[in-house]
Amino acid sequence: MARFVLRRAEGEADGNVWPIGASSLFFGRSGQCDVTVRDPTVSRRHCEVATHNGVVHLHDLGSSNLTLVNGQPVKSTRLYVGDRITVGTAHFVVAEDEGPDDPTPVPVSTKHSLAVDRSIYVDEGRLPELVALGAKGVEALSQLFRLTHTLSEMQSIQELAMIVHASLMEAFSPQQCWLARCVEERSSLTFFDEFGNVVDAPEDAPKKIIEAAFFRRSGLLWPRMRDGIVEAQIAAPLVVPEKRVGIIVLQSKPDQLFDTMDLEYLAALAHTTAPFMKSTQQAEQTQLSLTKLRKQWGL
């Protein structure tokens, strides 16, 4: 018997796969839904998809702005491979399960939308274009513009780290946040706390995702299962031409998993931050050198 999955439509956060089974797959704005669509036009519980005797069905749950299948509003309908479902501004396509080569799907009952231990990368070359692709849209552009203006006025790494940390907490509300800079392009990292103070490398810092993101110089999304709880981490290296400057890693809350749109926004934020971190670090080093020279010459 054929098995079915839902995928994001081409070009929309590739990598997300939801297996369709006998248990309903719920779509909606609520974080309790299996597929959360962050769109104010979407109802908290918008529609559901499930299989019965090998046949896929969709039922609208009384949504305010309807559910579309192939561009037509529906209340209840059978779905076929290739059918396109529209929920708010999000689009999904029904597909056959491709078998063992596909990402291992997470059970629907865990209420999340990503494949556990299946990493998704965002290439460095796409970073300048990512904001326009993200879910935050104009809000994201506005946030990055304000951040750019603020970072341009920073006089120290401590100030910069504090501002970046605050921006990350505002944008993502993560359970944990790690911000670090590279020391002379070596493998060693200097970590900062929320006040921009230098701290010892945290014992809980996710070394595996840091190494992977650094090696590829790419943004990385890594869903995983730990102690029976599904969580996700996203990482983005701070990169300027031919040089790694630092890295940002975020740990999601159990009820608020990150997705590829979050990864794209984090990558854009990292791309914005990197040159300011490098220039501020260089300015501090120059100031230290000048101070030493003044002391040597008795000035």
Side-chain angles (χ1 to χ4, degrees), residues 212-230:
F214 260 18
F215 176 75
R216 285 178 171 250
R217 297 195 178 201
S218 302
L220 169 63
L221 166 62
W222 185 36
R224 62 176 181 169
M225 185 84 71
R226 186 172 67 172
D227 299 329
I229 298 175
V230 179

Side-chain angles (χ1 to χ4, degrees), residues 57-132:
H57 292 275
L58 178 146
H59 300 283
D60 184 88
L61 299 176
S63 62
S64 301
N65 291 296
L66 304 177
T67 304
L68 305 182
V69 174
N70 300 325
Q72 299 298 316
V74 298
K75 290 293 184 181
S76 181
T77 188
R78 178 177 177 175
L79 296 175
Y80 298 88
V81 172
D83 280 348
R84 184 184 180 95
I85 303 168
T86 300
V87 178
T89 57
H91 306 282
F92 308 87
V93 176
V94 180
E96 285 192 355
D97 193 336
E98 297 176 359
D101 291 334
D102 243 14
T104 304
V106 177
V108 172
S109 60
T110 58
K111 301 296 181 187
H112 71 98
S113 60
L114 296 170
V116 169
D117 290 327
R118 177 73 176 195
S119 301
I120 299 172
Y121 289 89
V122 174
D123 294 335
E124 175 189 346
R126 292 182 56 202
L127 300 188
E129 306 170 3
L130 292 177
V131 181

Side-chain angles (χ1 to χ4, degrees), residues 173-286:
S173 299
Q175 181 167 297
Q176 289 181 281
C177 173
W178 296 275
L179 172 63
R181 71 173 178 180
C182 295
V183 180
E184 296 299 327
E185 188 67 351
R186 298 195 301 270
S187 57
S188 58
L189 291 170
T190 298
F191 286 83
F192 301 96
D193 64 14
E194 64 269 31
F195 303 108
N197 298 313
V198 174
V199 296
D200 294 334
E203 294 183 1
D204 59 352
K207 296 180 181 179
K208 183 176 180 180
I209 192 172
I210 289 174
E211 292 174 356
F214 260 18
F215 176 75
R216 285 178 171 250
R217 297 195 178 201
S218 302
L220 169 63
L221 166 62
W222 185 36
R224 62 176 181 169
M225 185 84 71
R226 186 172 67 172
D227 299 329
I229 298 175
V230 179
E231 59 186 21
Q233 294 174 339
I234 49 177
L238 306 179
V239 179
V240 294
E242 303 304 322
K243 188 177 181 65
R244 290 171 293 187
V245 179
I247 193 164
I248 300 169
V249 184
L250 303 179
Q251 169 75 51
S252 71
K253 296 176 181 177
D255 60 344
Q256 189 178 349
L257 297 182
F258 297 132
D259 57 24
T260 49
M261 293 179 183
D262 293 313
L263 173 60
E264 289 171 344
Y265 182 65
L266 180 65
L269 191 150
H271 182 76
T272 299
T273 302
F276 291 105
M277 179 169 283
K278 180 183 178 183
S279 61
T280 304
Q281 182 174 343
Q282 289 176 333
E284 282 194 343
Q285 291 173 344
T286 300

Side-chain angles (χ1 to χ4, degrees), residues 109-169:
S109 60
T110 58
K111 301 296 181 187
H112 71 98
S113 60
L114 296 170
V116 169
D117 290 327
R118 177 73 176 195
S119 301
I120 299 172
Y121 289 89
V122 174
D123 294 335
E124 175 189 346
R126 292 182 56 202
L127 300 188
E129 306 170 3
L130 292 177
V131 181
L133 302 176
K136 299 177 183 292
V138 174
E139 178 187 356
L141 287 169
S142 177
Q143 289 174 345
L144 288 179
F145 177 81
R146 293 195 302 269
L147 178 62
T148 300
H149 178 73
T150 302
L151 294 181
S152 69
E153 299 178 337
M154 295 298 98
Q155 300 298 313
S156 69
I157 286 291
Q158 180 178 4
E159 290 179 326
L160 183 144
M162 183 170 61
I163 291 298
V164 172
H165 194 284
S167 298
L168 293 167
M169 298 303 293

